[in-house]
Amino acid sequence: MPTLILVRHGQSQWNLENRFTGWWDVDVTEKGVAEARAAGQLLKDKGVLPTRAFTSVQKRAIKTLHLALEECGRLWIPETKDWRLNERHYGGLTGLNKAETAEKHGDEQVKVWRRSFDVPPPPLEAGSEFDLAGDPRYAGIDVPNTESLKLTIERVLPYWQAEILPELAKGETVIISAHGNSLRALVKHLSSIPDDEITGLEIPTGQPLVYEFDAELNPGDYYYLKDA
């Protein structure tokens, strides 16, 4: 039975500091390391062992994947990194403290930027300290300067269809270590969640979420592995 495991990276330094992170490459905290290891131990304990791995090109997701795979004895499985699994780009909000941003722009405006489906934050200015145009991992890519959840979905789903779904069709147990919004995009698609409801979905850090597929690649309802 094809199985999909989604894991949001363990707590990052900017999660801890309550800052907008997006595409900026922030490391995991000690708590994040522990969450990733616990995820791997849970995979081992439940006997849900990945045979194929995908992750973004961001450190927090890559480290989470490697720590989890190490814990369940699966570091050796094939792994693909791709920018299309990156977190949503938070544009000009990148690096800002969320509470301070709310004080400056008002709770309602920040809520729109964070939780609306198709309204992106203000764009990141070219030459900003958080501008990734010169980052070698994005060579040849038109790096966005802001993204809504809708725009994030528009890059995640084609990648899912072209690269990940064919692995599930082979009967693989696929693990994706990624981010709150790139995983939200997949859950929206797989569980047919309406636009106005998906922004309220919170996927906790370091908690494996599982879909099982039938022979026609229809997904069942997702569940958290800790509850299985």
Side-chain angles (χ1 to χ4, degrees):
M1 181 184 294
T3 301
L4 176 67
I5 306 155
L6 304 179
V7 182
R8 182 183 174 193
H9 63 78
Q11 184 194 63
S12 75
Q13 187 60 41
W14 281 13
N15 289 151
L16 179 63
E17 296 173 13
N18 199 32
R19 299 167 74 182
F20 291 100
T21 313
W23 278 38
W24 196 245
D25 207 20
V26 175
D27 209 346
V28 288
T29 61
E30 288 186 15
K31 179 182 178 183
V33 168
E35 287 175 337
R37 291 194 183 281
Q41 186 62 50
L42 187 60
L43 294 172
K44 182 179 179 181
D45 291 345
K46 298 288 188 178
V48 183
L49 298 175
T51 59
R52 187 76 170 83
F54 292 86
T55 188
S56 72
V57 295
Q58 298 184 275
K59 185 189 305 181
R60 56 195 185 272
I62 297 167
K63 279 195 173 181
T64 295
L65 175 64
H66 291 173
L67 289 164
L69 291 180
E70 182 177 28
E71 206 67 26
C72 66
R74 292 275 157 156
L75 265 176
W76 51 270
I77 67 173
E79 171 189 327
T80 302
K81 303 180 185 75
D82 198 281
W83 67 271
R84 285 167 289 190
L85 293 174
N86 275 17
E87 177 57 291
R88 168 190 172 190
H89 197 303
Y90 274 104
L93 301 183
T94 303
L96 298 179
N97 177 278
K98 293 175 183 176
E100 292 172 358
T101 306
E103 287 177 15
K104 181 177 178 181
H105 296 283
D107 288 335
E108 282 306 308
Q109 180 61 70
V110 174
K111 186 178 179 182
V112 168
W113 287 333
R114 292 187 67 191
R115 291 299 179 216
S116 70
F117 179 68
D118 56 2
V119 179
L124 184 71
E125 292 183 11
S128 155
E129 63 178 306
F130 302 118
D131 186 351
L132 292 166
D135 191 309
R137 84 191 84 182
Y138 302 119
I141 294 168
D142 188 12
V143 177
N145 57 18
T146 187
E147 288 180 309
S148 60
L149 178 57
K150 181 174 184 286
L151 290 171
T152 306
I153 290 170
E154 287 174 4
R155 64 168 157 85
V156 171
L157 287 191
Y159 185 71
W160 158 262
Q161 297 283 356
E163 303 296 335
I164 303 175
L165 198 56
E167 295 300 320
L168 288 166
K170 298 175 188 175
E172 303 282 2
T173 296
V174 174
I175 185 169
I176 303 175
S177 176
H179 308 264
N181 283 293
S182 49
L183 294 180
R184 197 178 267 138
L186 288 173
V187 171
K188 182 185 191 307
H189 172 69
L190 293 170
S191 294
S192 301
I193 299 174
D195 295 355
D196 60 349
E197 293 180 19
I198 189 58
T199 53
L201 175 71
E202 283 294 336
I203 300 172
T205 54
Q207 285 292 344
L209 180 157
V210 178
Y211 282 96
E212 293 173 355
F213 293 75
D214 64 20
E216 284 74 45
L217 287 184
N218 298 307
D221 293 334
Y222 73 79
Y223 61 90
Y224 285 98
L225 195 55
K226 64 182 177 61
D227 299 327

